[in-house]
Amino acid sequence: MKCLKLFVLLAATAVSHAMAAGDVDAGKEKSQPCAACHGADGNSPSGEWPSLAGQGEKYLVEQIQAFKAGDRQNALMAPMVANLSEQDMADLAAYFSAQAIKVGQADPELAEQGERIYRGGVVAEGVPACSGCHGPAGEGVDAAGFPALAGQHTQYLEIQLKAFRAAGRGDLGDNVVKRTNDPQEMMRTVAAKMSDTEIKAVASFLSGLSTEE
């Protein structure tokens, strides 16, 4: 746990490559093609796709770059980002980051377990507290590129955690979605130790969590 916290501190203070300064107004103009899946204001109308409102700029830029480079694969995102310049990415990130996320509602039957995992981890399984990297209120650590999770769709969070888990467990099934663009394989290592129930619980808790708490 101490090593994880040290990594977070180092990542947050490290000097990364220069990122173009984003323009919110320009980003709003450029975001129109994104609206169908992510919502005009960054609040996705579908639980399958992430809400981008309130997300950290650094994280957003890094994910767009990952989709463009093929490090993060998605058949719908690939053509959308193919022609984006670094300035385009920065503008889009600035716009979505400036929007307010609409918080959902946690399943009351799962919220207590989800909060326990988020704040304290699962000691017996070696799962660290999610809040160590994503903040006590799910606000993320943008300087380190760790995403905000509060208010995110339960379904989307489940999909991503299971994708990290599949990669972390070395699941080679052809039809298994995997995600492998996490720094130092941090998420793969954590998710590989989580059960379906634990994933669903923490995802539900986060959907109803507000960064203002």
Side-chain angles (χ1 to χ4, degrees):
M1 190 66 181
K2 290 182 179 179
C3 290
L4 178 60
K5 289 183 177 179
L6 178 60
F7 177 83
V8 172
L9 179 61
L10 291 174
T13 56
V15 178
S16 61
H17 66 277
M19 190 173 81
D23 181 276
V24 173
D25 291 334
K28 183 176 182 179
E29 267 311 299
K30 295 173 182 179
S31 72
Q32 293 180 18
C34 312
C37 291
H38 300 291
D41 63 349
N43 284 283
S44 174
S46 169
E48 186 177 358
W49 309 116
S51 288
L52 305 181
Q55 189 57 265
E57 291 185 55
K58 177 179 171 61
Y59 178 77
L60 287 173
V61 169
E62 287 179 346
Q63 297 313 301
I64 297 172
Q65 290 173 334
F67 281 123
K68 185 171 182 177
D71 295 329
R72 184 174 175 185
Q73 298 185 358
N74 182 284
L76 292 177
M77 281 298 299
M80 298 296 291
V81 302
N83 296 317
L84 293 181
S85 67
E86 292 295 319
Q87 188 62 57
D88 293 334
M89 296 179 193
D91 291 342
L92 287 167
Y95 171 67
F96 285 121
S97 179
Q99 307 311 303
I101 194 166
K102 296 176 182 176
V103 178
Q105 187 171 0
D107 183 335
E109 295 185 2
L110 297 173
E112 184 177 344
Q113 180 187 12
E115 181 172 15
R116 187 166 60 249
I117 295 170
Y118 186 78
R119 302 197 187 286
V122 184
V123 177
E125 300 298 330
V127 176
C130 314
S131 58
C133 287
H134 297 285
E139 71 276 21
V141 181
D142 192 38
F146 296 157
L149 302 178
Q152 189 57 261
H153 291 302
T154 299
Q155 182 183 1
Y156 177 74
L157 290 173
E158 282 191 68
I159 290 171
Q160 297 307 308
L161 281 169
K162 288 179 179 179
F164 279 126
R165 184 177 68 182
R169 291 181 176 178
D171 192 327
L172 301 178
D174 292 337
N175 296 320
V176 177
V177 176
K178 305 178 188 68
R179 184 168 169 187
T180 59
N181 71 320
D182 51 323
Q184 307 299 314
E185 300 187 13
M186 292 173 66
M187 284 304 306
R188 277 172 274 180
T189 301
V190 171
K193 302 173 184 177
M194 297 179 72
S195 68
D196 284 351
T197 300
E198 290 165 343
I199 285 176
K200 182 179 287 292
V202 77
S204 180
F205 167 70
L206 284 165
S207 182
L209 183 62
S210 171
T211 56
E212 296 180 0
E213 293 183 9

